[in-house]
Amino acid sequence: MHTTHWERARRLLTRALPASGGDFLDVGCANGHLMETLTAWAAEDGIRIEPYGVDISNALAALARERCPRWAGRIWHANAMGWQPPRTFAIVRTGLDYVPPQLRGAYIEHLLTQVVAPGGRLIVGVFNEERDQHLLEREVTMMGYRVGGRVTAPHRHPAVLYKAFWLDRAAAPDPAPSSRTSC
């Protein structure tokens, strides 16, 4: 894909990032190119993210570690569906197109409870859809999730848009006040 097409299709993800930035996990990171470009675009927009990646393909994860040696220790080979990461992340980006429809609810639940940190954000996208359709977003809403926001960008075809939306994970509740009294 030509560089301008790559940017047109994916730069909208910077608008889905929280202004506070944070550690960013790219699920399905492939060769690490999105980690690299999104980190640079976010910085241009005044948002600092620390990139991490995971890919189901060992060969692609190895390629990402080779392409981005400064982040090699942050790129894992795993199936995100059941992956227990070494830590949670403030921002997680995934696609749903590679998840069978009957497993999408379990996949989203797993990411929100095991991979996204309390108070964090799960970004779904980029995907292409006709302008007036919101099929994937509607599917996720019908699973009981509340969409926190959405972003779109023009596609080469005027009837289609690049899209992304996000789900925000609630912050962890404050610990219960101590039942001990002080003197």
Side-chain angles (χ1 to χ4, degrees):
M1 178 182 280
H2 190 271
T3 303
T4 57
H5 293 158
W6 172 266
E7 185 169 349
R8 182 180 338 147
R10 290 162 184 84
R11 187 170 181 127
L12 77 130
L13 290 172
T14 61
R15 297 187 351 250
L17 296 171
S20 59
D23 44 351
F24 169 84
L25 175 68
D26 186 15
V27 177
C29 69
N31 67 4
H33 189 55
L34 181 62
M35 292 169 49
E36 191 172 39
T37 54
L38 189 62
T39 300
W41 296 331
E44 288 173 12
D45 294 348
I47 302 170
R48 186 174 183 275
I49 59 173
E50 285 293 328
Y52 295 77
V54 62
D55 202 278
I56 195 168
S57 165
N58 192 33
L60 285 175
L63 182 58
R65 287 189 290 271
E66 183 180 312
R67 258 187 102 255
C68 305
R70 67 189 178 275
W71 302 326
R74 302 174 174 192
I75 300 169
W76 298 279
H77 162 239
N79 181 340
M81 182 63 165
W83 182 48
Q84 296 299 317
R87 53 172 299 213
T88 56
F89 301 88
I91 310 158
V92 176
R93 190 226 53 100
T94 192
L96 292 180
D97 49 334
Y98 42 77
V99 180
Q102 69 274 19
L103 298 178
R104 289 178 179 166
Y107 178 69
I108 291 169
E109 181 68 17
H110 173 71
L111 292 179
L112 282 172
T113 61
Q114 302 299 311
V115 185
V116 177
R121 177 169 289 177
L122 175 63
I123 300 170
V124 177
V126 170
F127 57 94
N128 302 328
E129 215 172 49
E130 290 184 36
R131 285 182 174 275
D132 59 349
Q133 293 182 331
H134 303 282
L135 300 176
L136 193 55
E137 188 177 325
R138 208 168 319 150
E139 178 185 338
V140 170
T141 301
M142 289 177 64
M143 292 175 197
Y145 296 102
R146 187 173 107 16
V147 171
R150 67 198 51 77
V151 292
T152 61
H155 189 277
R156 291 184 308 261
H157 191 287
V160 177
L161 289 174
Y162 294 112
K163 298 180 178 185
F165 62 88
W166 62 86
L167 310 171
D168 291 319
R169 180 177 174 189
D174 290 332
S178 174
S179 58
R180 292 185 295 173
T181 56
S182 56
C183 302

